[in-house]
Amino acid sequence: MVLYCLIVCKVVNMARSRNYNLDFYRGFAAIWIVFIHCCFWSGDGYVPLNVKSLSLFIDVPLFMFISGMTYNYSNSVKKTIKGLLKLYFKYFVFFCIYMLFVLYFDYNSFNFENFKNGLLFKYSDTMPLQVVGGSMWFMPMYFFVSFFSSIFISAVDKIVDTKKNLIWFIIMILVFYLILNFFSFSLGLFLKEMTLFIIIYLLGYYAYNNNLSFKKFIVIFCSLSLFLIILLLKTDYSFSMMQSYKSAFNFVYFTYSMLSIITIWYINSIYKVKNNIICTIGKNAILFYFAQGVGSSLLLPFCYRIEMFWAIKLVLLFILNLTYTVLISLMLNSVYKLIDRIKIKKLVG
């Protein structure tokens, strides 16, 4: 009875203190990833390049920004490591389910090499459900960035008040990132990629404690927009090639991504979200992310057979993909709940 009361109190306290804004942004970003993959995977060959580039307005950097905001609730390297271990366990369960699928539908791909590589988020191009493997590049980056950013915040916090003065350190890292871009050299270890996402993660941590006024929002947003327009009009860069800039972690893509990040920063400063269906998706964003890879892959075999105007086709496939993703994420959630029940029974027993 005492144990039951403690669990109830914990759940009630979590419900009271939960920030639905972060859940909503995370859920909205997860849904948008489904749309992006409809443009680039099942949309290959019929979605215009500019529409594909437009879909990247909200992308993975926003996830990293929200993760940085969320770090304010732990402010602990130890808790970060525990959270990453839990996340990897969820991935491991998903990967085992995926490999059972491979065993049943594509026995030749079921081997030790693919299993070992999959544990490290590496997927062969010949494995089934291609979008699953294509989505996993984000996972190791998230692990590295979360770990090193938490260490950096902890170290800097011993020098200054990070919640007020972290912005100066972010600017210094930004200068280093621009040097990496303009001089086009690499020091290995995915340095450019790591630097880009660490900047965004740290900015999220800083933004959560520092509201953005309307005046500052307009100035920053317009400045970034003007800089981006000049880059696209006065240089060899092209808006239709935004995906290639994303793949290269180029500062053009970084500037483009900052537009959505600044917008979310401002919205978070002035508006409080109430719990809703998108928040529910946000609470289970990682399951939704796993599921969208499966959902997007299921569209590939027959999407080319559909003949209609590209915009209508894109909306139709997006709705279908979203339906697949929701159903698959619910099934995954049931598996995790079953595992949790088993854990609790063993703990009580």
Side-chain angles (χ1 to χ4, degrees):
M1 182 66 182
V2 174
L3 179 62
Y4 173 77
C5 291
L6 288 173
I7 293 173
V8 170
C9 289
K10 184 177 181 181
V11 170
V12 170
N13 288 331
M14 286 177 65
R16 288 176 178 172
S17 62
R18 191 167 191 97
N19 188 323
Y20 292 120
N21 279 40
L22 300 185
D23 287 333
F24 182 84
Y25 306 145
R26 196 182 291 111
F28 181 76
I31 292 172
W32 196 264
I33 293 294
V34 176
F35 178 71
I36 290 175
H37 286 174
C38 279
C39 289
F40 283 92
W41 287 90
S42 56
D44 188 36
Y46 80 90
V47 176
L49 287 176
N50 284 333
V51 174
K52 289 183 176 182
S53 294
L54 190 62
S55 72
L56 296 176
F57 180 76
I58 298 171
D59 200 6
V60 169
L62 184 58
F63 270 113
M64 205 65 78
F65 180 75
I66 298 167
S67 297
M69 298 177 82
T70 306
Y71 183 70
N72 284 275
Y73 286 90
S74 65
N75 261 314
S76 166
V77 177
K78 185 178 180 180
K79 289 181 180 178
T80 296
I81 294 173
K82 286 183 177 179
L84 293 176
L85 289 174
K86 289 180 180 178
L87 175 58
Y88 187 80
F89 174 74
K90 288 184 177 182
Y91 169 74
F92 177 75
V93 173
F94 168 77
F95 179 66
C96 288
I97 296 172
Y98 170 77
M99 289 305 289
L100 289 175
F101 177 90
V102 172
L103 176 63
Y104 185 80
F105 289 98
D106 187 8
Y107 181 77
N108 292 329
S109 295
F110 188 85
N111 54 62
F112 176 75
E113 188 67 21
N114 283 338
F115 187 83
K116 180 190 70 175
N117 288 336
L119 293 177
L120 299 174
F121 309 107
K122 298 177 182 178
Y123 288 71
S124 168
D125 292 337
T126 60
M127 295 182 74
L129 302 178
Q130 288 179 301
V131 188
V132 173
S135 301
M136 288 305 165
W137 69 269
F138 169 70
M139 294 298 290
M141 188 61 62
Y142 178 79
F143 274 76
F144 282 120
V145 170
S146 298
F147 177 68
F148 287 114
S149 295
S150 64
I151 291 177
F152 182 84
I153 292 171
S154 178
V156 172
D157 200 40
K158 296 177 181 178
I159 305 172
V160 298
D161 183 354
T162 54
K163 293 182 178 179
K164 293 182 179 179
N165 301 300
L166 185 63
I167 190 66
W168 301 110
F169 291 88
I170 295 173
I171 292 172
M172 286 189 286
I173 301 173
L174 176 60
V175 171
F176 177 67
Y177 168 73
L178 292 176
I179 291 173
L180 290 176
N181 272 268
F182 284 112
F183 289 93
S184 301
F185 66 87
S186 175
L187 299 178
L189 299 175
F190 308 104
L191 189 60
K192 187 192 293 186
E193 299 93 313
M194 287 275 290
T195 305
L196 184 151
F197 285 120
I198 285 175
I199 291 169
I200 293 172
Y201 187 99
L202 295 178
L203 187 62
Y205 179 78
Y206 174 82
Y208 186 80
N209 300 286
N210 296 273
N211 289 336
L212 197 64
S213 67
F214 179 72
K215 183 178 180 180
K216 288 182 179 179
F217 165 69
I218 291 297
V219 170
I220 296 173
F221 189 92
C222 290
S223 299
L224 287 170
S225 299
L226 181 61
F227 179 63
L228 183 63
I229 291 170
I230 292 173
L231 282 174
L232 297 176
L233 293 180
K234 301 297 182 180
T235 67
D236 294 331
Y237 294 109
S238 170
F239 182 72
S240 63
M241 297 297 292
M242 195 61 68
Q243 172 63 15
S244 64
Y245 307 144
K246 171 184 175 178
S247 301
F249 298 94
N250 188 279
F251 70 96
V252 176
Y253 174 70
F254 172 78
T255 305
Y256 187 46
S257 298
M258 284 301 299
L259 293 175
S260 61
I261 288 172
I262 291 296
T263 302
I264 292 298
W265 185 354
Y266 174 65
I267 292 173
N268 187 65
S269 301
I270 64 170
Y271 187 68
K272 296 298 179 184
V273 176
K274 294 182 180 180
N275 193 18
N276 56 53
I277 186 64
I278 296 180
C279 293
T280 302
I281 293 174
K283 293 172 191 174
N284 301 281
I286 192 60
L287 303 188
F288 203 83
Y289 190 78
F290 294 156
Q292 63 77 29
V294 180
S296 298
S297 300
L298 294 176
L299 290 180
L300 295 179
F302 62 87
C303 65
Y304 302 106
R305 302 175 186 175
I306 301 175
E307 297 288 341
M308 58 178 64
F309 180 61
W310 71 265
I312 298 175
K313 181 177 177 179
L314 178 60
V315 172
L316 177 65
L317 290 178
F318 170 65
I319 293 172
L320 186 58
N321 195 345
L322 192 60
T323 303
Y324 281 157
T325 300
V326 169
L327 292 175
I328 294 166
S329 61
L330 288 173
M331 288 188 285
L332 282 174
N333 194 39
S334 298
V335 173
Y336 289 121
K337 284 183 177 180
L338 178 61
I339 293 172
D340 285 337
R341 288 197 194 103
I342 295 171
K343 286 181 181 178
I344 293 173
K345 286 181 180 179
K346 286 185 177 180
L347 183 64
V348 174

